[in-house]
Amino acid sequence: MDIRLLRSSDIPLIQHANIENLPENYFLKYYLYHALSWPQLSFVAVDVSRPPKTPYDYPKIVGYVLAKMEEEPADGVQHGHITSLSVMRTHRRLGIAEKLMRQSQLAMVETFGGRYVSLHVRVSNKAAIHLYRDTLGFMTEKTESKYYADGEDAYCMKLDLDFIRDQIREEEEDDDAGEEKKKKKKN
Amino acid sequence: APQTLSTREANLFRTVIRYYEDKQYKRGLKAAEQILKRNPKHGDTMSMKALILNAQGKTDEAFALAKDALTIDMKSYICWHVYGILYRTNKNFDEAIKAYKFALKLEPDSHQIQRDLAVLQVQMRDYQGYIQSRFVMLKARPQLRQNWTALAIAYHLDGNLQQAENILNTYEKSVTTTPLRTDFENSEALLYKNTIIAETGDIERALEHLESSCKNCLDRLAVMELRARYLAQLGRKEDAAKAYRALLERNSDHPDYYKCLVDALGIPTDDEAALKAVYDEYAAKNPRCDAAKRLPLDFLSGDLFRTAAKAYLTLMFDKGVPSTFANLKHLYSDAFKKESLPVLAEEYLKEHSGSSGAEGQANGDSSKGEGAALYFLAQHYNYYLSRDLSRATEFVEKAIELDSKNVDFHMTKARIFKHQGEVAKAAEAMDHARLLDTRDRYINSKAAKYQLRNDENEKALTTMGLFTRAETVGGPLADLTDMQCMWFLTEDGEAWQRRGDLGLALKRYHTVFNIFDIWQEDQFDFHSFSLRKGQIRAYIDLVRWEDQLREHPFYFRAALDAVNLYLSMHDKPQNGANGVEGSHANGDDAAERKKAAKKARKEAQKAEREAAEKAAKQDPNKGGAQKSKDAEDAKKKDDDPNGAKLAATTDPLGDAMKFLWHLLQFSPKNIEGQIAGFEVFIRRNKYLLALRCLKAALAINKGHPKVLEQATRLRKALGGDLGSLAPKVKEVIESELASVPGA
Amino acid sequence: TSGDVEDEVQPTAKSAEDRKAAAALSKLDARGDDEGPQTGEVDQEAVKNAMNSLGGGADKKETKAVKVDAADVKLLVEEFELPKSKATELLKAHDGDAVKAMKAYLQPDF
């Protein structure tokens, strides 16, 4: 497995993974819109063990997170949003979804100064809710009734990202302290 | 002579434009007609009316009117601009460029026309033209940074790195204030410049620039990755190792980082223990990391491999990771590893037999432990490098015995049937797996795929319909087409082809072709959008990918199917409607198939009608919206839904060319495409092009039996025809054929 | 004239999810994009000088003056089904020698 940043050339197979796994699907252009607006935020999990079949094989995508920044946040606070997250059934239990989410959350803070991240999840999707709430620490903000095309409700969930901001600050301070020490030694 | 408008009418003309921009087409049309009543020969108004008609889907009428407008007022830039827009919206970009250029000659200062032209030029990869346009636009508004960036992009794409960098430098020098640290556009422009410097090959300078100017860039990951790469390229191993360690701290599941770290540390490739120690360090630090534990299996050998593999398999089986086999099968190119892995799995099984099954069952999770090991072994014996299908069946049955409701186990059972050539049983088994978890789309998709492999198109569509959107007019197929579901379209086409319904088969392949057209056009909006967003590196990445778009296996497969189908149509001309094969050996059989296809079509039409009715009923209060949606649909109405017209072609080889050119251009290294190309060209007596395919195929695999047979056929064909060729062609063929084997 | 206003309403998406996607995509080709506020303070004089130093945009790529026989162009167009411009280019790249050009085109370019 390889967890890395999404590239435009991954999109056909991301779209494929999406329509293979999930009921909510999008045109290629909607993925492009994410990849070209916030290229730092979306990540893929690639099956690197696949023996190549043709000279033109594209990396097989077995999981992805498609993320964005809210363009006009209603509350005026910079924040990220998870548009779609999925891992192929064949590649579960490796913690891929969690890893993808953590990479995206870090970039939301570093690159765009995001303060929190939000997402929608089907109220019946127990596995996903477990990941968001128990593993990643999301809180359920509210229920949006009939959010999905088939009439199912969605939980609107949120995760405060200030803990990442604090980590970065600590690391920077450590680095600065290290630099200082080095300088002193030289002197 | 063109008419001039009164003040009142001139105002009205401006409202026409506004209505058009607001998409209020009916009002716009009304206002335009009001002007035309008094001034029937007012070119600009005629053009605006044409534009509105075009937006309403009346393309032919629009073009006719726009042409009339131009004959009346050749000197109006509006008329030319509209003419360009009509061509642009109808995807004839070359003609659109010509029209815009005329418009621009008449109105050189029009910002809008210049911008429209620029976008078309980059879309068509006319980089020289794009440079000129962006230069004019920069001159008009040099205070805007994106105009500088755009000109740099134009030079960059044209391959002039130095000038691209120069432009970015010039802008930087003219800025008098220091940009804020949060200025995203600035941050990205600096990184963009940095990648241009690196592309010139001057890594030293790229690193220097990165460390001096990009330190605070907001894309932290990019800065860290670029720095690590430059350090490695420059041979600064100690620093590179540190940089890759920092990256591994961020993401320990990215194999490249390990590879680069190991390189930087200078560990000899045969010092397995030292190499493994590097990975072990990260495995210990990140208990949930997979890469650090699995990657050593690639380079370890002998007992070291066995020990590591045992630990890895034990961990994976205990957790019940379903992808364990998929993640290890690449090791099977090594005979020792191929032998060792099943032995280790059997050992695990012996140690855990019974106990974990009971425990698993107690947890309601028998895919762990024993189940996982059985599942692994079933896949092992089902894999082509270690295939023993009766053993595979044995293991999968044991697994199912352990847990009869496990979807993965049943899925593998279906796959084993497939490899036994039992497509019907495979489809049945996969459908059984689907029924075990009807909320899971993945297993649903697989069930549909296996139904298609069993030539059950109607059933497969019904299966897919369980997850497509109920309200889509046209039913599941329309939804899958809208959502660009390539695999289904291709497999559906192949199944129709096997059933002898050439029309529907061709229809699906053409649909795939058209989706690639859409994907190519999808970049259009981003030529200006990306400048606005300032994400330049991602944009460059997009442009380069789009240039290679049709090398994608999704395209290759459907296009090769289409070419081969057209070839068989040429060899065996069809009779009867919709290309259902009539010349088959068994006439009854053909009639049967014809009847079945007819029935299938009827069913599809019925499903479509029902879906339309359902959609109409769904929201009776939205009559208005529905009406305009109908207009939209009418615009897109397919006049050949079953491919009857496609199948009725009298020139199948000519039709094949549309698919073939892209195959040969974008996937020249795929021998199947070259073989198909030869077959088309030799039938068209295009000997040079046939020879070109042959030479390419030989370069790929000079021992391929089909290729050698083709060489013989070409020689034979030329034997009779060589005299009739142009002398220069004859000369070329004679000299080039000499190096082709089999003379 | 207001009776037909409803007709202009765009079809509404069925779910919140769709509405989001549709809204995002409709904004992609927004106009007036490069008329936005300028980002940094720019020294107008410096810009003017810089502009002058840039010269006239695209540099003309050098094209060799090679004589090409129209019959050869026609031959290449016919044999390889290339556009006329591509056939001419190919001939020029081989000094107008049709045999050389054809041989070159036959070689695998990978």
Side-chain angles (χ1 to χ4, degrees):
Chain A
M1 209 58 43
D2 182 8
I3 306 279
R4 63 159 171 78
L5 211 56
L6 172 154
R7 298 191 278 262
S8 293
S9 55
D10 294 323
I11 293 177
L13 285 173
I14 294 173
Q15 188 188 40
H16 174 81
N18 171 269
I19 203 161
E20 187 119 308
N21 284 333
L22 298 177
E24 286 76 43
N25 311 120
Y26 316 99
F27 316 119
L28 183 110
K29 196 171 177 182
Y30 192 54
Y31 295 93
L32 280 180
Y33 158 70
H34 283 74
L36 273 83
S37 301
W38 309 277
Q40 295 80 7
L41 300 187
S42 292
F43 288 80
V44 291
V46 177
D47 176 2
V48 280
S49 319
R50 244 171 116 79
K53 283 187 180 160
T54 75
Y56 302 97
D57 276 5
Y58 277 70
K60 165 90 176 158
I61 306 294
V62 297
Y64 66 87
V65 59
L66 190 69
K68 56 178 282 189
M69 295 302 291
E70 206 57 70
E71 297 206 75
E72 286 149 12
D75 54 6
V77 180
Q78 278 296 318
H79 69 273
H81 184 81
I82 303 298
T83 297
S84 185
L85 167 71
S86 117
V87 175
M88 287 278 196
R89 182 188 181 96
T90 47
H91 284 74
R92 299 204 178 138
R93 299 195 196 183
L94 278 169
I96 292 175
E98 178 199 342
K99 288 166 187 169
L100 293 167
M101 284 292 288
R102 291 199 193 279
Q103 293 297 321
S104 183
Q105 290 167 7
L106 177 56
M108 282 174 185
V109 176
E110 283 179 340
T111 306
F112 298 103
R115 303 298 300 265
Y116 67 88
V117 52
S118 63
L119 56 82
H120 292 101
V121 59
R122 284 177 181 268
V123 293
S124 67
N125 192 346
K126 295 224 169 62
I129 293 167
H130 170 76
L131 166 75
Y132 297 136
R133 195 185 48 207
D134 304 332
T135 309
L136 293 166
F138 276 76
M139 310 279 251
T140 305
E141 183 86 340
K142 59 179 184 228
T143 308
E144 276 189 43
S145 113
K146 301 209 169 105
Y147 180 81
Y148 294 100
D150 58 8
E152 188 170 341
D153 296 350
Y155 288 133
C156 178
M157 300 186 95
K158 246 169 108 165
L159 173 67
D160 192 301
L161 294 178
D162 280 352
F163 73 99
I164 296 180
R165 180 184 294 245
D166 294 342
Q167 272 167 17
I168 294 172
R169 195 169 299 145
E170 266 168 45
E171 277 162 26
E172 276 176 2
E173 276 162 14
D174 285 355
D175 279 358
D176 289 349
E179 290 289 311
E180 283 301 308
K181 248 188 233 163
K182 253 194 246 163
K183 272 183 206 158
K184 268 181 200 158
K185 258 189 204 164
K186 268 185 198 166
N187 296 344
Chain B
Q3 291 169 320
T4 43
L5 299 184
S6 69
T7 319
R8 206 183 75 84
E9 286 163 334
N11 283 335
L12 198 53
F13 181 73
R14 275 191 287 278
T15 26
V16 174
I17 296 179
R18 211 172 49 238
Y19 279 141
Y20 170 73
E21 283 170 350
D22 294 344
K23 298 188 177 162
Q24 308 240 341
Y25 301 132
K26 287 202 174 172
R27 288 177 172 179
L29 212 53
K30 225 176 231 183
E33 268 154 11
Q34 226 174 308
I35 302 173
L36 289 173
K37 216 188 276 172
R38 291 244 207 131
N39 316 272
K41 290 193 172 233
H42 187 248
D44 290 356
T45 307
M46 291 165 76
S47 291
M48 281 311 298
K49 185 179 165 186
L51 205 51
I52 294 171
L53 290 172
N54 183 57
Q56 291 178 320
K58 297 168 192 156
T59 309
D60 295 342
E61 213 180 315
F63 266 102
L65 188 58
K67 243 178 236 171
D68 286 347
L70 263 180
T71 41
I72 286 167
D73 196 354
M74 285 281 286
K75 292 262 161 67
S76 157
Y77 76 91
I78 293 182
C79 291
W80 281 107
H81 190 193
V82 165
Y83 207 49
I85 295 173
L86 290 187
Y87 273 123
R88 189 192 67 192
T89 55
N90 291 288
K91 320 289 181 205
N92 188 341
F93 296 145
D94 285 320
E95 290 303 315
I97 287 179
K98 282 186 209 158
Y100 282 136
K101 282 186 174 165
F102 269 112
L104 213 49
K105 246 183 229 162
L106 297 164
E107 184 71 4
D109 294 332
S110 167
H111 184 61
Q112 198 187 336
I113 300 172
Q114 184 69 67
R115 184 179 47 196
D116 284 356
L117 174 64
V119 168
L120 282 173
Q121 284 167 325
V122 65
Q123 176 75 12
M124 298 304 287
R125 305 301 193 255
D126 171 10
Y127 293 134
Q128 288 291 307
Y130 190 49
I131 290 171
Q132 269 169 10
S133 289
R134 293 308 325 191
F135 192 82
V136 172
M137 292 167 81
L138 171 59
K139 245 181 158 166
R141 291 158 198 252
Q143 71 278 16
L144 273 180
R145 181 173 204 159
Q146 54 176 272
N147 282 341
W148 292 83
T149 310
L151 182 58
I153 291 170
Y155 277 119
H156 184 197
L157 291 175
D158 194 40
N160 190 340
L161 297 171
Q162 213 184 342
Q163 192 65 302
E165 190 193 341
N166 187 19
I167 301 290
L168 295 173
N169 285 338
T170 310
Y171 173 81
E172 282 175 26
K173 273 184 224 144
S174 66
V175 177
T176 50
T177 49
T178 316
L180 293 172
R181 195 173 162 166
T182 51
D183 179 343
F184 190 88
E185 188 184 21
N186 179 58
S187 164
E188 179 60 25
L190 291 173
L191 281 172
Y192 175 49
K193 189 170 102 176
N194 188 261
T195 56
I196 290 178
I197 298 172
E199 272 184 43
T200 66
D202 191 345
I203 305 301
E204 191 86 50
R205 199 159 65 82
L207 179 63
E208 198 182 312
H209 174 258
L210 188 76
E211 290 186 330
S212 63
S213 303
C214 305
K215 251 189 152 157
N216 293 325
C217 281
L218 297 161
D219 188 342
R220 295 303 308 150
L221 179 60
V223 173
M224 290 172 76
E225 284 193 341
L226 289 173
R227 185 163 171 275
R229 190 191 311 156
Y230 297 157
L231 287 168
Q233 281 174 317
L234 292 169
R236 288 173 53 183
K237 297 204 165 211
E238 206 176 309
D239 293 328
K242 244 171 110 181
Y244 279 109
R245 283 193 184 282
L247 282 162
L248 279 167
E249 293 292 328
R250 270 181 87 101
N251 176 8
S252 58
D253 275 289
H254 190 49
D256 263 358
Y257 295 159
Y258 291 101
K259 202 175 146 279
C260 295
L261 173 59
V262 161
D263 277 353
L265 292 172
I267 303 173
T269 45
D270 57 356
D271 191 345
E272 291 178 16
L275 289 172
K276 180 153 193 303
V278 175
Y279 290 86
D280 284 348
E281 183 190 332
Y282 287 95
K285 252 196 247 179
N286 307 285
R288 293 178 57 74
C289 171
D290 179 62
K293 299 183 198 110
R294 191 170 45 79
L295 290 173
L297 301 179
D298 291 353
F299 60 78
L300 292 176
S301 63
D303 282 343
L304 282 177
F305 171 79
R306 213 194 301 264
T307 312
K310 188 180 166 94
Y312 185 73
L313 281 180
T314 303
L315 183 68
M316 293 294 118
F317 291 160
D318 286 351
K319 275 207 283 184
V321 174
S323 59
T324 306
F325 181 76
N327 291 341
L328 296 176
K329 67 177 185 224
H330 67 288
L331 299 173
Y332 280 38
S333 55
D334 178 321
F336 172 74
K337 293 179 185 180
K338 187 172 79 179
E339 302 301 317
S340 305
L341 287 169
V343 173
L344 292 169
E346 296 257 22
E347 276 173 25
Y348 178 95
L349 209 50
K350 256 183 224 137
E351 287 162 27
H352 293 75
S353 197
S355 64
S356 88
E359 186 196 322
Q361 237 130 39
N363 304 337
D365 190 0
S366 54
S367 59
K368 293 188 179 180
E370 188 183 357
L374 289 168
Y375 179 52
F376 180 94
L377 285 162
Q379 291 176 92
H380 166 85
Y381 289 113
N382 192 30
Y383 187 50
Y384 80 105
L385 287 176
S386 46
R387 189 162 291 166
D388 179 344
L389 294 177
S390 58
R391 295 217 69 189
T393 307
E394 214 175 287
F395 281 111
V396 87
E397 290 299 351
K398 272 190 200 160
I400 289 172
E401 210 173 292
L402 200 64
D403 180 1
S404 61
K405 298 235 182 303
N406 187 298
V407 175
D408 297 338
F409 298 169
H410 283 279
M411 219 158 80
T412 298
K413 187 175 168 178
R415 290 209 171 98
I416 297 169
F417 278 134
K418 182 177 87 175
H419 291 143
Q420 286 170 335
E422 301 267 16
V423 279
K425 278 189 182 169
E428 221 173 281
M430 201 56 103
D431 204 52
H432 180 79
R434 176 184 71 80
L435 288 167
L436 295 171
D437 187 358
T438 53
R439 308 254 312 148
D440 184 43
R441 192 174 192 176
Y442 180 85
I443 185 61
N444 187 81
S445 304
K446 284 282 174 276
K449 180 172 155 182
Y450 274 54
Q451 284 162 346
L452 288 175
R453 293 283 170 95
N454 193 34
D455 296 351
E456 298 175 290
N457 304 66
E458 298 84 354
K459 212 166 160 187
L461 192 60
T462 309
T463 304
M464 291 298 280
L466 296 170
F467 279 87
T468 56
R469 320 181 40 156
E471 74 276 11
T472 305
V473 179
L477 182 64
D479 186 60
L480 292 166
T481 307
D482 279 355
M483 290 303 139
Q484 308 172 335
C485 188
M486 296 294 203
W487 78 262
F488 181 84
L489 293 166
T490 308
E491 294 266 1
D492 195 45
E494 289 173 355
W496 283 122
Q497 186 172 345
R498 285 191 297 271
R499 289 173 62 175
D501 193 323
L502 310 189
L504 281 171
L506 287 174
K507 184 71 191 175
R508 299 293 176 267
Y509 305 149
H510 278 265
T511 302
V512 171
F513 185 96
N514 294 339
I515 291 172
F516 271 90
D517 273 350
I518 293 171
W519 286 1
Q520 200 167 348
E521 281 153 29
D522 277 346
Q523 64 182 303
F524 200 96
D525 288 342
F526 291 101
H527 300 310
S528 45
F529 175 84
S530 288
L531 287 171
R532 210 155 72 222
K533 278 276 174 187
Q535 298 278 13
I536 308 305
R537 290 170 303 146
Y539 169 72
I540 299 282
D541 192 46
L542 165 77
V543 170
R544 288 177 174 168
W545 169 59
E546 289 277 5
D547 281 342
Q548 297 305 123
L549 181 65
R550 283 177 195 262
E551 76 175 19
H552 202 283
F554 283 167
Y555 177 78
F556 190 87
R557 181 164 162 192
L560 185 67
D561 283 340
V563 171
N564 284 330
L565 178 49
Y566 278 124
L567 276 167
S568 74
M569 287 166 69
H570 170 85
D571 293 349
K572 213 166 48 178
Q574 310 302 310
N575 43 39
N578 210 39
V580 175
E581 282 181 12
S583 57
H584 229 259
N586 186 337
D588 288 345
D589 207 32
E592 257 330 284
R593 269 205 301 273
K594 221 179 201 174
K595 237 164 76 191
K598 204 171 160 194
K599 191 173 155 231
R601 265 200 309 286
K602 272 202 174 146
E603 273 169 16
Q605 279 159 1
K606 193 175 150 223
E608 200 171 317
R609 260 200 319 276
E610 281 169 1
E613 277 163 25
K614 200 169 152 196
K617 272 184 215 152
Q618 209 152 36
D619 211 345
N621 299 327
K622 291 216 176 97
Q626 191 59 46
K627 235 194 280 170
S628 100
K629 196 167 181 324
D630 286 346
E632 185 98 337
D633 289 340
K635 198 163 83 176
K636 287 187 294 191
K637 185 145 182 70
D638 189 342
D639 61 354
D640 187 20
N642 299 314
K645 288 184 187 169
L646 291 171
T649 179
T650 53
D651 181 18
L653 295 180
D655 294 350
M657 292 312 299
K658 168 171 146 172
F659 292 92
L660 182 59
W661 285 128
H662 291 306
L663 282 187
L664 297 177
Q665 185 184 348
F666 293 106
S667 313
K669 280 183 278 187
N670 197 319
I671 199 163
E672 299 298 324
Q674 299 291 354
I675 289 173
F678 176 93
E679 296 295 339
V680 173
F681 290 130
I682 192 121
R683 282 168 180 72
R684 295 182 53 215
N685 301 327
K686 291 279 178 187
Y687 299 122
L688 277 179
L689 284 168
L691 179 57
R692 189 167 185 257
C693 288
L694 187 61
K695 285 176 74 80
L698 285 165
I700 299 162
N701 177 3
K702 63 177 188 293
H704 195 292
K706 181 77 193 167
V707 179
L708 297 174
E709 179 218 305
Q710 288 184 337
T712 312
R713 275 165 57 206
L714 180 62
R715 283 206 169 83
K716 209 170 142 206
L718 284 167
D721 231 357
L722 210 52
S724 66
L725 297 178
K728 285 179 187 173
V729 174
K730 191 167 169 248
E731 184 189 338
V732 171
I733 287 185
E734 279 176 338
S735 103
E736 287 297 320
L737 209 52
S739 61
V740 169
Chain C
T1 53
S2 63
D4 53 9
V5 174
E6 285 92 329
D7 290 3
E8 316 268 15
V9 175
Q10 298 298 307
T12 44
K14 289 284 178 220
S15 73
E17 192 68 22
D18 286 358
R19 279 196 294 279
K20 270 198 313 203
L25 291 181
S26 72
K27 270 192 291 187
L28 287 183
D29 62 347
R31 292 248 157 199
D33 47 352
D34 43 7
E35 281 150 30
Q38 56 188 71
T39 36
E41 284 298 314
V42 175
D43 180 346
Q44 297 295 342
E45 196 58 30
V47 166
K48 222 164 107 193
N49 290 337
M51 293 298 299
N52 290 336
S53 74
L54 286 181
D59 347 291
K60 290 278 168 285
K61 284 216 169 125
E62 272 182 55
T63 41
K64 256 194 295 180
V66 178
K67 267 240 158 158
V68 168
D69 189 343
D72 285 338
V73 175
K74 210 173 145 227
L75 184 68
L76 261 67
V77 167
E78 171 68 21
E79 289 298 329
F80 292 137
E81 307 189 348
L82 293 169
K84 211 173 150 190
S85 58
K86 273 265 151 54
T88 311
E89 212 174 280
L90 184 63
L91 274 168
K92 279 189 177 168
H94 295 89
D95 303 313
D97 183 333
V99 170
K100 262 206 278 182
M102 285 192 277
K103 280 187 182 173
Y105 192 71
L106 284 181
Q107 309 312 318
D109 53 359
F110 50 83

